[in-house]
Amino acid sequence: MISRKNASISKFIIHKVGNKFNDTKNAFSEKVVDFDEASYDLMLPFLLRPFASTVQSHRFNHHANISLNEINNYTTQIFNEDEAFIEVSKHIVMHLYEQSTSANIKTGDVLIVLFEGIEFNDITTNALGVFKIESKVNFFQTYLENNSYDVLVQKGINSKKVDKGCLILNQTDEEGNIIFSVDNNSYDAQYWINQFLNIKYADDSNSHTQQYLELCKDFSTDILKTSYGIQEQNTFLAKTIDFFKENEVVNVERFKDELFEENKYKNEFDDYKKSFEGEMNLVIRNQFDVAERVVNKEKKKIKTDIKLDTNIQIKLDIDAPDASTEYLERGYDEEKKMHYYKVFFNAEN
């Protein structure tokens, strides 16, 4: 995660990116934006806020040589050549345009921003931000005409969130530049991550933890929920989070031994893991350190409600993984021809 408390914008330019499939063209600015105080005070947190809670980082990628990664080269130019900012920012937009391999990819505003004072891991550095604004919101604008006020509808940028954005730090480790990416309109995540930026997850505990939890969530939905029901799915997810909270290191074999009593579940999990790795183009380690921040973040996303078609919901506590097995019983009533849940308890809270 980054800190923006001492961050500032040193250069900022806006271009527009088109889509070659629907014959819309790029449009370029020739000057950087000169902010007034009110616009600047709104823009700075708008751009950096999404990265405050991002724990996973990326690194540049290329199938042949990392020096051939376009955004890597453009970033290096901007960091090293102060006068190159405007011209290189245009090249970034042209590269984005060339990745429009589908008519579904949206046109929009592209903001190229050079930041100073970004803090990450107790180091202060500058960073390059690339943001794409794909959607505009309607707002009312009042105006005075002939001594009376009237109203019209205009479109503008929603100041609550960016659609797509990346922050490339002028700070490296053994894998290269540290990069953060956000995508709130993930209709085509491959377009932004793989084709435009061409980045991969860093080889660290954050990524290993995230990937394994994603595997478990997908397995619970595609296999457990489909074949064995929501109760089985939710119990598995609760036990998964509990395992990650109780262990500093995850060993895959030990994980399966603790979570699955029957070999058929282990075999299904192994088969699903292989297909998951193939689809995601990654290899999940058999042992890795747990990133507690990632676990806490993913835990908040997991829903353990059982929603019934009789307008009744059963909410399971993810911090009590054994409660579902011990105090919740599922059955079928032959007389009513309906499924039921039986809940055991001592007292109502």
Side-chain angles (χ1 to χ4, degrees), residues 1-8 44-45 47-57 115-127 131 166-171 178-182 293:
M1 295 185 289
I2 64 121
S3 172
R4 57 183 173 89
K5 63 180 180 180
N6 295 317
S8 62
L44 181 61
L47 296 177
L48 292 180
R49 190 183 302 116
F51 303 105
S53 59
T54 303
V55 295
Q56 278 188 279
S57 62
F115 297 98
E116 294 180 353
I118 300 292
E119 296 179 17
F120 175 73
N121 285 351
D122 299 322
I123 295 176
T124 301
T125 185
N126 57 337
F131 304 88
C166 72
L167 192 66
I168 305 165
L169 304 189
N170 191 13
Q171 179 183 341
I178 299 166
I179 306 164
F180 296 95
S181 179
V182 294
R293 290 184 301 179

Side-chain angles (χ1 to χ4, degrees), residues 214-277:
E214 290 293 339
L215 163 67
C216 292
K217 287 192 293 183
D218 288 0
F219 173 76
S220 76
T221 300
D222 296 340
I223 303 300
L224 296 182
K225 180 181 177 181
T226 302
S227 301
Y228 306 105
I230 297 178
Q231 183 181 0
E232 194 77 24
Q233 176 195 25
N234 290 339
T235 299
F236 169 76
L237 289 174
K239 287 185 176 180
T240 297
I241 293 297
D242 188 60
F243 184 90
F244 273 75
K245 297 287 286 186
E246 293 296 323
N247 293 275
E248 295 182 355
V249 176
V250 167
N251 178 279
V252 173
E253 292 303 318
R254 182 164 169 247
F255 172 85
K256 291 188 295 183
D257 288 340
E258 288 201 16
L259 265 74
F260 303 124
E261 295 181 0
E262 300 181 36
N263 285 332
K264 69 172 183 177
Y265 290 117
K266 294 181 183 180
N267 294 334
E268 287 178 317
F269 186 80
D270 287 338
D271 291 341
Y272 191 87
K273 178 174 174 287
K274 290 179 183 178
S275 64
F276 180 86
E277 290 173 322

